[in-house]
Amino acid sequence: MTTPPTDGLLFEVAPPPTPVERLMLLADQYVAHNDTLDRLLRAGSQSEPDAYVASAQRLASATRTAIKAVTDERLYESHELSDAVVRLQQLAFLSSASTDHRLPMARTLTALAPEAAMSCADSIAHEIRRRRWSTTDAPDHQLTATQRTALWEIACGHVVATRSLGRQYVHYRDERVLIGTLRSLEANALAERVPNSASSAYTGGPLQDRVRLTAAGTTALAAAISRPTTARPPGTTPAPAPTAATTATRSH
């Protein structure tokens, strides 16, 4: 019997997302879910609750998966880590509970989920920075402070884009995001627009384009917040500062 060649059977498998990346992807899922509910509310949809139950159930499952990914890291049990896990457990509960409510209340229960998931991602990244030295290679895209801020706002679901009279506009909620910044992120394949996916800004208005992170954008932002703030070789610690008594002795 002839053994088939193995060359065609080999393929590159993408590594699984890190816990921080997984939480950012979770935030993106919540943004898309909330956008769907907003469109249903504006359209006065009568198809509830079936229109969003399956999505909410998937979110609850994805949140529990993210919790397991965090606990599998076996980080030191700090207050910040405990709080992040509790917030994620609350998200899973609220997502599951939203399936028992009609559309307006279901939307309320997941309203703050994207920001909560991103806050947890930041907390987990901070704990990893404190407990370990990151040996991750530098990402392909070195972010400027402006780009990093814009990516964070996008990940939280705070940025949409519109067109009017041939001009493009960016609408943001907290930190300022300029159209030039968005274009630079798009040019580097770090962000993208999803046409007509976000609710209109006013009753009867046109749908807006949700701006979201690409896979590369998620990786770049996760690396940026996970990277140690000081460049110190792995395995080394700074020399302890001299005590007041030692300093006083040497001054004589």
Side-chain angles (χ1 to χ4, degrees):
M1 181 176 179
T2 304
T3 302
T6 59
D7 293 347
L9 301 178
L10 299 178
F11 55 91
E12 185 177 353
V13 178
T18 66
V20 175
E21 291 171 343
R22 191 180 295 276
L23 289 171
M24 291 184 176
L25 294 172
L26 181 66
D28 180 66
Q29 289 177 272
Y30 274 111
V31 171
H33 175 78
N34 288 344
D35 280 342
T36 298
L37 268 58
D38 284 339
R39 295 196 304 271
L40 291 173
L41 283 169
R42 286 297 175 93
S45 174
Q46 300 299 316
S47 59
E48 56 176 324
D50 294 340
Y52 58 87
V53 165
S55 175
Q57 290 173 337
R58 286 193 298 270
L59 282 172
S61 177
T63 305
R64 289 190 288 268
T65 299
I67 294 172
K68 185 178 185 303
V70 170
T71 56
D72 285 349
E73 284 291 298
R74 300 185 181 277
L75 297 171
Y76 180 78
E77 192 72 13
S78 66
H79 292 301
E80 292 81 2
L81 178 62
S82 297
D83 289 348
V85 171
V86 168
R87 285 196 298 272
L88 291 172
Q89 291 171 336
Q90 291 172 338
L91 287 186
F93 175 81
L94 291 173
S95 298
S96 181
S98 70
T99 63
D100 297 326
H101 294 273
R102 296 181 68 82
L103 191 52
M105 179 54 68
R107 176 63 176 88
T108 299
L109 291 178
T110 58
L112 302 180
E115 294 93 333
M118 288 301 296
S119 175
C120 291
D122 189 52
S123 296
I124 299 303
H126 177 70
E127 287 303 300
I128 292 175
R129 286 200 309 268
R130 287 207 305 166
R131 306 298 172 184
R132 305 174 184 174
W133 178 265
S134 175
T135 57
T136 304
D137 294 334
D140 294 335
H141 301 282
Q142 295 292 336
L143 302 178
T144 66
T146 300
Q147 288 176 326
R148 174 173 169 166
T149 297
L151 288 177
W152 181 270
E153 289 297 299
I154 291 169
C156 288
H158 293 171
V159 183
V160 294
T162 59
R163 291 176 178 269
S164 179
L165 301 177
R167 299 188 63 180
Q168 298 182 5
Y169 299 90
V170 173
H171 304 280
Y172 50 88
R173 198 182 81 175
D174 294 335
E175 298 293 333
R176 190 179 188 188
V177 179
L178 300 177
I179 185 65
T181 303
L182 174 57
R183 286 171 176 161
S184 74
L185 294 175
E186 291 175 320
N188 286 290
L190 299 177
E192 62 185 3
R193 308 181 205 191
V194 184
N196 303 323
S197 59
S199 180
S200 57
Y202 53 90
T203 303
L207 294 176
Q208 304 178 96
D209 299 343
R210 170 65 61 196
V211 182
R212 63 190 297 268
L213 301 186
T214 62
T218 298
T219 299
L221 182 58
I225 68 173
S226 300
R227 195 176 304 117
T229 55
T230 57
R232 193 169 66 243
T236 64
T237 55
T243 63
T246 302
T247 303
T249 300
R250 290 179 177 175
S251 65
H252 287 296

